[in-house]
Amino acid sequence: MSDHISIDDHDGAERNRRQVLYWRLLARLFDHEEQPALETASMAVVGDLGLPAAVLDPSVSVDSLVQRFPELAAEFRDLLAPGAPGGEVRRAALISKLLLNVFATGTGDVTATRLATWQQDAAWFKQAMCGGQGPGAGTGSTAGSTAGQGAGFAAGQGAGSPAGLGAAAGAGAGFGAGPGAGFGAGFGAGDGIGAELARALADLEGDLVSRMRLREVLADPALARRLTPSMSLVEQLLRDKSNLSGVALANAKALIRRYVDEVAQVLRTQVEKASVGEIDRSVPPKRVFRNLDLDRTIWKNLTNYSPEDQRLYVDKLYYRRTARRTTPARLIVVVDQSGSMVDAMVNCTILASIFAGLPKVDVHLVAYDTRALDLTPWVHDPFEVLLRTQLGGGTDGTAALALAQPTVADPRNTVVVWISDFYEWNCDGVYAGLEALHRSGVRLIPVGSVSSGGQQSVNPWFRQKLKDLGAPVISGHIRKLVFELKNFLA
């Protein structure tokens, strides 16, 4: 009985200490009157655990903490992994550290250093949420963590270098399917809770960026070098580029270029195995050794096997057909460039440029809001495409249809990828145009606001109409679009 009581007492003490840490976290965020007493109690708990006092100091980044106490790196990485060591109270202290650093962003102006620090802390948070499988896993620092955030946070993706679209994407360009994929991808594109966290992080980063004196930071090369490109930052730069000049404009372009290159590297790995052109069955196989179909040859000649000689006598050789169609596949990408579509604009212009680099693929790129712009001459350089776009404004897809429809020469050899949330000024007119393309034989792939994190908001009227047409809207993750395009080109 005494053992039972001592176990219960121990469990109760552990529970109380854990509650102290979490109440202290809530007080920091919501109720500052209760904070002093809870700070004192939490300091005692942390001391008993053998943790440094800096665990309770939100001004100390996780990177700094890990650099000073390297043994904590593995604990932060595996914080929520099944069977993670350390005990509930110790994990509560470290979880509180992450939550406070990421979600208590304060008020007032934000420096470039403050933004970069938050991005690094957010990378650690994402990694913990992914059970140690996120960016930087297997390392003792976030050298790869921030890179892991990829193409921005789901809804505005990717704090930190997208090298991480994850070294992220950001890929994810952020977190997720490798570099640059964005936070949402890391949490799981189909995970409702993950999607909510991704949006929350995107909003937090967007707020930090909006509180920066960005023009002043860009005008100072030393400060500009401290910025880590992310989707939120790229969006702000694209919106403000017409107000920049000289050194500030050059630094803005350099940041956009870095982000685009990192996201492109990640997306390119997803596309590189795509085969182009289907086998042309009308062309007889070339009878050379490299085309010999050995398995088929053996199978077709099995009746000629001699048990006495234990030999297979071959009277006919079979060869693989290797000739592919010579007509280029035409890929027409139409992207809504209204303010809500920045993720799609960045990701899909990069994706279009990658497919444009494949042999026998003829890519056209059109961007639109209330007007349409043919960006095909710059399709091989997504950086130049982004500089020529103007985010914001309304949405009138009929203008894009007027540019896209004349480029359809061979409908059955053409795919039209239409990326939008489909909140159109003229819904009936846009639907009629898309329906006409579909019925002509064009492969129509409507995509709801593509992001590396998979978030999307699509006009439900359009969603149902396109589903009834036989061209359902693809759920938002960029990987699904890559898969569809690879199938078309295969």
Side-chain angles (χ1 to χ4, degrees), residues 301-320:
N301 288 279
L302 280 178
T303 55
N304 299 328
Y305 178 72
S306 171
E308 294 82 8
D309 300 339
Q310 292 188 344
R311 290 186 179 184
L312 178 66
Y313 293 93
V314 177
D315 59 14
K316 185 176 181 180
L317 297 174
Y318 291 84
Y319 296 87
R320 298 184 187 90

Side-chain angles (χ1 to χ4, degrees), residues 103-406:
F103 290 95
T105 55
T107 59
D109 291 345
V110 173
T111 64
T113 300
R114 171 76 181 98
L115 176 63
T117 298
W118 181 89
Q119 290 172 331
Q120 292 165 354
D121 287 337
W124 280 105
F125 173 71
K126 186 271 174 183
Q127 186 170 253
M129 291 298 294
C130 294
Q133 298 305 308
T139 67
S141 73
T142 54
S145 289
T146 42
Q149 293 175 22
F153 296 121
Q157 236 167 328
S161 160
L165 201 191
F175 286 125
F183 264 124
F187 291 133
D191 186 339
I193 296 175
E196 289 298 323
L197 280 171
R199 280 191 286 272
L201 291 168
D203 290 343
L204 285 170
E205 189 196 23
D207 175 64
L208 289 169
V209 171
S210 68
R211 284 158 49 195
M212 284 181 61
R213 297 181 181 274
L214 193 54
R215 295 179 192 175
E216 296 177 16
V217 171
L218 291 171
D220 185 333
L223 292 176
R225 281 194 294 271
R226 298 180 186 176
L227 293 174
T228 301
S230 67
M231 183 62 76
S232 294
L233 182 58
V234 167
E235 178 180 359
Q236 194 73 18
L237 294 174
L238 291 175
R239 291 185 187 282
D240 203 37
K241 64 180 185 291
S242 60
N243 298 315
L244 302 175
S245 61
V247 173
L249 181 59
N251 286 329
K253 288 182 175 180
L255 284 165
I256 296 172
R257 170 69 79 181
R258 277 174 56 195
Y259 186 78
V260 166
D261 289 348
E262 290 167 347
V263 175
Q265 181 180 1
V266 176
L267 287 177
R268 193 172 289 111
T269 64
Q270 298 182 26
V271 177
E272 62 185 2
K273 294 183 180 179
S275 59
V276 180
E278 60 187 17
I279 299 296
D280 188 346
R281 299 290 175 183
S282 66
V283 179
K286 192 171 183 180
R287 300 171 67 84
V288 295
F289 179 75
R290 68 173 178 272
N291 290 342
L292 179 64
D293 189 338
L294 189 58
D295 290 341
R296 189 171 177 227
T297 297
I298 293 173
W299 177 257
K300 290 289 188 179
N301 288 279
L302 280 178
T303 55
N304 299 328
Y305 178 72
S306 171
E308 294 82 8
D309 300 339
Q310 292 188 344
R311 290 186 179 184
L312 178 66
Y313 293 93
V314 177
D315 59 14
K316 185 176 181 180
L317 297 174
Y318 291 84
Y319 296 87
R320 298 184 187 90
R321 297 176 188 269
T322 56
R324 297 186 178 271
R325 63 185 181 190
T326 57
T327 304
R330 178 155 293 181
L331 171 62
I332 303 171
V333 180
V334 181
V335 185
D336 175 356
Q337 66 168 346
S338 60
S340 62
M341 298 296 297
V342 64
D343 280 24
M345 192 72 230
V346 174
N347 282 298
C348 292
T349 54
I350 293 171
L351 195 60
S353 73
I354 293 169
F355 277 99
L358 296 175
K360 299 178 183 176
V361 181
D362 180 22
V363 179
H364 293 251
L365 179 62
V366 174
Y368 76 98
D369 43 31
T370 54
R371 298 174 298 174
L373 181 64
D374 185 356
L375 297 169
T376 304
W378 302 279
V379 72
H380 290 276
D381 190 344
F383 171 72
E384 291 296 331
V385 167
L386 292 174
L387 292 184
R388 284 168 169 78
T389 59
Q390 185 61 54
L391 297 178
T395 311
D396 183 7
T398 58
L401 282 166
L403 277 181
Q405 285 172 328

Side-chain angles (χ1 to χ4, degrees), residues 24-54:
R24 178 252 178 191
L25 169 64
L26 293 173
R28 275 271 185 173
L29 293 172
F30 306 114
D31 188 0
H32 297 289
E33 291 183 4
E34 299 292 333
Q35 187 179 327
L38 290 168
E39 289 290 339
T40 302
S42 297
M43 188 64 73
V45 172
V46 166
D48 288 344
L49 294 170
L51 289 170

Side-chain angles (χ1 to χ4, degrees), residues 393-429:
T395 311
D396 183 7
T398 58
L401 282 166
L403 277 181
Q405 285 172 328
T407 64
V408 179
D410 178 5
R412 298 199 174 278
N413 198 39
T414 301
V415 60
V416 172
V417 177
W418 194 287
I419 300 116
S420 176
D421 53 14
F422 295 98
Y423 285 97
E424 292 284 344
W425 173 75
N426 182 359
C427 289
D428 290 330

